[in-house]
Amino acid sequence: MAEFGLNIVQRFLETKGLKADKIDERDEKTPDFEVFEEEHKVFYCEEKTLDYDDFEGEKDDSTYNAISRHLHKAVKQFKSVNPNHEIPNILAIVNRDPLKNVHDLFIALTGQAPLDSGEYMKIHRVGHRTVEDINEVDLYLWFDNEKFVNLIWKDVENAGMRQSLERYFVSQAE
């Protein structure tokens, strides 16, 4: 199943004129890709897949927990190669569950659901670990199966880091 998501993300990055080199497996977990523009490393990228869950209401919906777990694992992987966060970290989520969507990612990260009015409603408590992990990821890419759907930016204190990524992804999200 992992190859499915990896291939989708790698092809997507290549359409942006980037070269996504798979990082060899090691004892210490690492992100999936070092991403280059020409010979210059521009960011790290980790792909996580959300598989179909046959949730039918008899148990708690595990969507937010699954996203938070993926985020936490990805942050550990980013820190292993980018401990000082010198270049951007991107988490790409490939969703294979038709009952989940990019709004679930937003809710998992913020605890709030966007309303049609443009306001937000608090519906989920964001855990302490997630609050800490959020600072390590600069951009989230969301795919529904093979289709890129949208992205979510971290509130970036480092405007230069965001600008360096915008040139690859902003035209896709507009």
Side-chain angles (χ1 to χ4, degrees):
M1 211 52 86
E3 288 296 315
F4 177 82
L6 290 173
N7 291 334
I8 290 167
V9 172
Q10 190 169 34
R11 282 192 311 267
F12 174 78
L13 294 172
E14 288 170 357
T15 68
K16 302 297 179 187
L18 300 166
K19 181 179 175 211
D21 286 346
K22 179 80 175 90
I23 298 174
D24 292 332
E25 297 292 326
R26 306 177 193 162
D27 289 339
E28 184 178 30
K29 295 290 185 179
T30 60
D32 292 312
F33 301 108
E34 291 179 303
V35 182
F36 295 84
E37 180 178 42
E38 297 173 5
E39 298 302 314
H40 180 69
K41 188 184 312 178
V42 290
F43 58 85
Y44 289 100
C45 184
E46 171 63 17
E47 181 275 332
K48 296 293 186 191
T49 299
L50 288 174
D51 289 315
Y52 176 73
D53 183 359
D54 61 354
F55 168 72
E56 291 187 22
E58 294 296 320
K59 62 181 181 175
D60 290 338
D61 185 352
S62 62
T63 300
Y64 309 131
N65 288 336
I67 292 170
S68 295
R69 272 192 314 277
H70 281 321
L71 170 61
H72 189 65
K73 287 177 185 176
V75 165
K76 286 181 181 180
Q77 292 167 281
F78 289 132
K79 285 183 175 183
S80 74
V81 295
N82 194 14
N84 298 321
H85 203 158
E86 294 170 358
I87 64 172
N89 297 318
I90 294 178
L91 177 56
I93 298 176
V94 176
N95 174 39
R96 306 221 37 200
D97 188 335
L99 300 177
K100 294 179 177 108
N101 64 44
V102 71
H103 294 292
D104 292 314
L105 172 60
F106 184 83
I107 293 166
L109 297 175
T110 67
Q112 300 181 33
L115 303 174
D116 290 339
S117 67
E119 297 180 69
Y120 298 93
M121 179 174 73
K122 180 102 174 140
I123 65 166
H124 171 70
R125 185 181 151 279
V126 178
H128 157 58
R129 185 172 77 180
T130 299
V131 170
E132 290 177 3
D133 289 342
I134 288 170
N135 292 324
E136 298 299 322
V137 177
D138 302 292
L139 177 63
Y140 301 84
L141 304 174
W142 185 275
F143 298 80
D144 281 334
N145 286 306
E146 296 185 35
K147 181 180 183 231
F148 173 73
V149 175
N150 210 336
L151 51 82
I152 295 178
W153 292 100
K154 167 185 136 181
D155 277 340
V156 181
E157 315 75 53
N158 181 343
M161 202 175 273
R162 178 167 174 164
Q163 287 175 334
S164 72
L165 293 173
E166 282 180 342
R167 68 177 189 220
Y168 307 118
F169 301 108
V170 167
S171 63
Q172 181 71 23
E174 294 178 331

